[in-house]
Amino acid sequence: MHEYSVACALLDQIEAAAHAHGVTAVKVVHLALGEQCGVEAGLLGGAFELARAGTVAADAELRIRPVPVRWVCPRCGGERPPGAPLVCPDDGAPARLEAGGEIILERLEMEV
Amino acid sequence: MCGTCGCGGESPVPTAGGVDVELHARVMAHNDHAAEHNRAHFRAAGLTVINLMGSPGAGKTALLEATARARPGLRLAAVSGDLATDNDADRLAKAGIRSRSITTGTVCHLDAEMLHDALHHWSPGDAEVLVVENVGNLVCPAIFDLGQAANVVCLSVTEGDDKPLKYPVMFREADLVVITKADLLPYLPGASLEGLRASLAQVMPDPRCIVTSATGDEGTGEWLGWIDALRARTREGES
């Protein structure tokens, strides 16, 4: 259950941002979560509810925006379809993960 | 500036009774920073570090035993992440590998700070290659950079050809997959190297694998050659 570790890292960043802006409470946490980031949204939500107690985000809502996976050939720009090999059939280049691997704290709605 | 991706985020927008702040901050930034710190230490020490991952029972410890057996002159050290015992570190010590364990308790992975703390209390001595044998788990260790030069995933043929498709993050992050227990293939009608390779090609952008069997030392030479090449690349990076 590494989601608890991720929730704690998220809360550290939330606390730092809240402190920097002198706010008393965080209302909404907007998180972008890649569909292949290695973190389960449901488990992260549960871990966040446990870990947020006693922090500025104690009553915060966690809103997760799922980001679909996109593999792209860096040479020809072609997108690799799901289930296909990740080496580009046209030029033999290994595809690059353009989206879907990220865990990004995008935005905080806070109370002053 | 948000300081993580240079996007220019963190410009607060006042709202009724509050403030909205765009951050665009990577949540794993703290671990990644600690991993870069480890990486700088390893580079300065001339130490090539491999993060060895895989399921419980995939053959991670057996691979290291076979490595020491095949090349006793390799100055190899290991740190083993283990939930509850020192068994792996004991096995490695018996194989002549300088080792210590990190007992993680309930934690299902190693992170950069855990490795950093362990190496503050234990030295790999004159080792040239340090293998971090991660907690047996195909999910959790994948997203924690430790500061390694390469990720290696052990995958035994008994686990099934589709495991890379079920755990894509782990295999995506692998620089090399060591397929283990290949001597068991004749007893596994549903498993094949072709099937494993096809699965790896769907999740690894640069699918590299070595087929091994620790009992017969099959593939050990190729594995040692891969370590030598990694070691040479690490040395180039130092100069």
Side-chain angles (χ1 to χ4, degrees), chain B residues 60-107:
Chain B
K60 297 182 290 299
T61 312
L63 177 69
L64 295 183
E65 289 170 326
T67 308
R69 208 162 49 231
R71 194 186 288 171
L74 179 69
R75 297 199 305 276
L76 181 64
V79 174
S80 296
D82 200 319
L83 288 174
T85 73
D86 294 330
N87 291 358
D88 289 351
D90 290 347
R91 273 176 65 187
L92 294 170
K94 282 197 186 105
I97 301 168
R98 185 179 169 84
S99 64
R100 74 152 280 165
S101 58
I102 303 175
T103 308
T104 58
T106 56
V107 181

Side-chain angles (χ1 to χ4, degrees), chain A residues 6-104:
Chain A
V6 176
C8 291
L10 172 62
L11 281 159
D12 285 345
Q13 291 188 332
I14 294 169
E15 294 246 83
H19 182 72
H21 291 89
V23 302
T24 51
V26 174
K27 288 188 293 184
V28 187
V29 177
H30 294 268
L31 189 73
L33 204 61
E35 286 176 349
Q36 211 183 81
C37 72
V39 171
E40 283 300 318
L43 291 174
L44 181 63
F48 182 78
E49 280 185 25
L50 286 174
R52 69 185 177 175
T55 73
V56 291
D59 299 312
E61 178 195 347
L62 179 63
R63 278 189 210 158
I64 294 176
R65 179 175 72 85
V67 182
V69 173
R70 252 185 98 229
W71 285 95
V72 173
C73 173
R75 281 198 202 140
C76 69
E79 195 165 331
R80 305 299 306 129
L86 293 178
V87 171
C88 179
D90 296 329
D91 51 35
R96 197 170 50 212
L97 188 68
E98 286 284 310
E102 59 275 79
I103 311 170
I104 304 279

Side-chain angles (χ1 to χ4, degrees), chain B residues 34-75:
Chain B
E36 282 308 319
H37 177 78
N38 287 349
R39 197 166 275 121
H41 269 303
F42 299 148
R43 201 175 295 127
L47 192 59
T48 300
V49 178
I50 296 171
N51 180 17
L52 183 62
M53 298 177 281
S55 311
K60 297 182 290 299
T61 312
L63 177 69
L64 295 183
E65 289 170 326
T67 308
R69 208 162 49 231
R71 194 186 288 171
L74 179 69
R75 297 199 305 276

Side-chain angles (χ1 to χ4, degrees), chain A residues 1, chain B residues 53-56 60 108-109 134-142 170:
Chain A
M1 228 308 253
Chain B
M53 298 177 281
S55 311
K60 297 182 290 299
C108 49
H109 59 272
N134 219 311
V135 180
N137 184 329
L138 278 181
V139 182
C140 309
M170 170 66 67

Side-chain angles (χ1 to χ4, degrees), chain A residues 1-2 5 9-10 13 21 23 36-38 71 83 85-87 94-95 97 103-112, chain B residues 10 12 17-27 29 108-109 139-140 143-144 168-169 172 201-205:
Chain A
M1 228 308 253
H2 59 296
S5 302
L10 172 62
Q13 291 188 332
H21 291 89
V23 302
Q36 211 183 81
C37 72
W71 285 95
L86 293 178
V87 171
L97 188 68
I103 311 170
I104 304 279
L105 172 57
E106 293 190 309
R107 190 160 65 91
L108 290 176
E109 294 178 34
M110 306 189 279
E111 280 171 16
V112 282
Chain B
E10 204 171 313
V19 63
D20 267 18
V21 181
E22 297 280 342
L23 288 156
H24 297 284
R26 287 183 309 109
V27 172
C108 49
H109 59 272
V139 182
C140 309
I143 64 167
F144 295 90
V169 181
R172 184 187 79 212
Q202 289 180 49
V203 293
M204 290 173 79

